[in-house]
Amino acid sequence: MHNKLSWGILGTGNIARQFCIGVNASHRGKLMAVGSRTAESAAKFAATHQIPVAHDSYEGLLADPRVEAVYVSLPNTLHREWTIKALQAGKHVLCEKPFAANTVDSEAMFDVAEQRGLVLIEAFMYRAHPLIHAVIESVRQGDIGTLQLIRTSFCYRTTRIEGNIRFDPNLASGGLMDIGCYCINFSRHFAGEEPSSISAIALKPAGGVDQVAAGMMLFPRGLVASFTSGMSLQADNTAYLCGTEGYIEIPIPWKPPAIGATFSIVRATPPRMDQTGLAAASSVPNSGPRQTFTVDANMDLYGLEADDFAGTVLDGKPPMLTRQDTLGNMRVLDEMRRQVGPH
Ligand SMILES: NC(=O)c1ccc[n+]([C@@H]2O[C@H](COP(=O)([O-])OP(=O)(O)OC[C@H]3O[C@@H](n4cnc5c(N)ncnc54)[C@H](OP(=O)(O)O)[C@@H]3O)[C@@H](O)[C@H]2O)c1
């Protein structure tokens, strides 16, 4: 039994770069090879990240016997094809979110993984941070009473539209797929079940992808979740879990820092109009008793993700995200995208 997992990286884009920094910082991952559509890009990427082998094709990477696990960081529409090819080549796969273009493709990918007895996990890196585990535990032990409402937001503004895979309607893109998927995953994770009712609206130029969207989910246990996602605006990228006895605020839920990640529990919050003087002028939404907890990971977020994946492959640890979890997310995305209209 060896202790380090050898990674092969498919694609040399933005998130592949961040993942490689993470693997180089991880305890149980080592970068073995990269595969790109061009030799030049593969060689440059390999040199930047101290990767021993550069392949000038994706096929070359998959045929490399030194690679044990493949990281798929390609446009969404290519996840199915290259995940299945990697599995057929005998590799474990960590596939970027959103897992595929739709639920049907996702099921096909998991079917192959199961037939081959290989690990296949969706790369929702935020789930690897101990912050999320600490908040789960806080909710579970009743710190905010009965959880009834989840509010999340994930937005950014980019002006790079030409050549950006997120804006290409042919690549199963758009804000819901790119970042709404985090809010959906977070809400379902904390609800602990699948929504019984799903709705979404979006700003979507004709022939384009959804750029600003709002989604809602109703969960059978008696819980409402709402979120906003956007690729053309700035907003608070926060998560709130609201219960009968108080609420939890996570100021940085999606990319929590290695050191100094926090969440706060706020209780006994009066309606804002009841507040007077300084309390009302406070920048804090409500001025009830607030306890803030710091959760250090002491590791790059993508390094945590790589170590978590290595634990599943090498030690048989349960996967960070199961097939059921990923398929549940894809079903919500399918339905929301159906509602906001075809590209
Ligand atoms: N977990 C996270 O934090 C996170 C963050 C951002 C993105 N993502 C996900 O990761 C995936 C890639 O996103 P990204 O931001 O890294 O994208 P990107 O910078 O555009 O990189 C995508 C890479 O895919 C390869 N590729 C193959 N066919 C392509 C095509 N037709 N058009 C463009 N690129 C093509 C290219 O690599 P070669 O030229 O080397 O072949 C390219 O560098 C997406 O699924 C996205 O949702 C995850």
Side-chain angles (χ1 to χ4, degrees):
M1 170 62 80
H2 57 301
N3 193 40
K4 285 220 172 193
L5 191 65
S6 294
W7 285 96
I9 308 297
L10 264 193
T12 56
N14 177 45
I15 192 60
R17 178 183 58 77
Q18 293 182 55
F19 184 72
C20 288
I21 293 169
V23 173
N24 278 334
S26 73
H27 295 305
R28 305 191 71 187
K30 64 170 186 273
L31 295 172
M32 181 53 70
V34 58
S36 172
R37 292 169 299 174
T38 65
E40 188 192 0
S41 176
K44 194 170 160 213
F45 192 89
T48 305
H49 298 285
Q50 300 93 48
I51 304 176
V53 186
H55 294 282
D56 62 3
S57 70
Y58 298 161
E59 289 84 355
L61 181 106
L62 299 189
D64 189 333
R66 291 160 294 192
V67 170
E68 294 171 284
V70 169
Y71 171 66
V72 174
S73 63
L74 307 175
N76 303 338
T77 40
L78 297 181
H79 289 185
R80 174 187 171 140
E81 175 186 352
W82 289 101
T83 292
I84 288 179
K85 284 183 173 160
L87 292 165
Q88 286 170 339
K91 316 296 187 191
H92 303 285
V93 177
L94 176 65
C95 178
E96 265 306 338
K97 44 52 61 181
F99 193 65
N102 53 50
T103 309
V104 171
D105 284 2
S106 306
E107 297 213 52
M109 292 153 71
F110 279 115
D111 285 349
V112 177
E114 282 172 18
Q115 286 154 14
R116 305 262 163 167
L118 293 163
V119 172
L120 172 59
I121 300 178
E122 184 175 17
F124 268 120
M125 75 301 184
Y126 82 97
R127 291 270 294 270
H129 199 289
L131 173 73
I132 299 302
H133 309 307
V135 176
I136 283 273
E137 183 53 25
S138 173
V139 173
R140 198 196 58 75
Q141 69 191 24
D143 288 346
I144 55 166
T146 305
L147 179 62
Q148 293 185 345
L149 176 71
I150 301 174
R151 283 190 287 122
T152 51
S153 164
F154 198 163
C155 300
Y156 56 80
R157 176 174 184 230
T158 179
T159 50
R160 190 178 69 82
I161 297 181
E162 200 56 41
N164 188 336
I165 60 169
R166 286 157 190 75
F167 291 85
D168 186 336
N170 299 315
L171 296 179
S173 297
L176 282 167
M177 291 290 262
D178 194 43
I179 47 209
C181 65
Y182 286 91
C183 303
I184 296 166
N185 184 266
F186 181 97
S187 303
R188 292 177 42 264
H189 189 46
F190 279 89
E193 61 182 355
E194 299 303 331
S196 51
S197 177
I198 297 165
S199 58
I201 50 172
L203 295 178
K204 195 162 74 63
V209 300
D210 62 282
Q211 298 197 0
V212 179
M216 289 188 290
M217 289 171 278
L218 178 69
F219 292 89
R221 61 182 265 187
L223 171 61
V224 164
S226 71
F227 74 86
T228 42
S229 61
M231 306 193 292
S232 56
L233 76 166
Q234 300 174 28
D236 61 306
N237 291 337
T238 52
Y240 287 87
L241 297 145
C242 308
T244 49
E245 309 303 320
Y247 68 86
I248 290 175
E249 177 185 73
I250 313 178
I252 308 177
W254 314 126
K255 289 198 177 186
I259 294 170
T262 64
F263 72 98
S264 297
I265 301 176
V266 189
R267 294 197 189 84
T269 56
R272 196 166 174 77
M273 62 190 174
D274 291 352
Q275 299 176 4
T276 55
L278 277 180
S282 156
S283 62
V284 178
N286 276 303
S287 59
R290 171 182 284 261
Q291 286 172 285
T292 297
F293 303 88
T294 301
V295 185
D296 291 331
N298 297 311
M299 165 79 79
D300 176 278
L301 185 55
Y302 299 94
L304 290 173
E305 178 179 56
D307 277 342
D308 203 282
F309 188 91
T312 302
V313 171
L314 301 176
D315 308 336
K317 185 178 94 53
M320 186 171 74
L321 268 90
T322 61
R323 170 183 180 137
Q324 189 191 9
D325 192 347
T326 289
L327 292 181
N329 229 56
M330 287 310 311
R331 283 190 197 101
V332 175
L333 280 167
D334 282 357
E335 175 57 16
M336 289 191 172
R337 295 179 79 222
R338 188 191 67 75
Q339 291 182 19
V340 304
H343 293 310

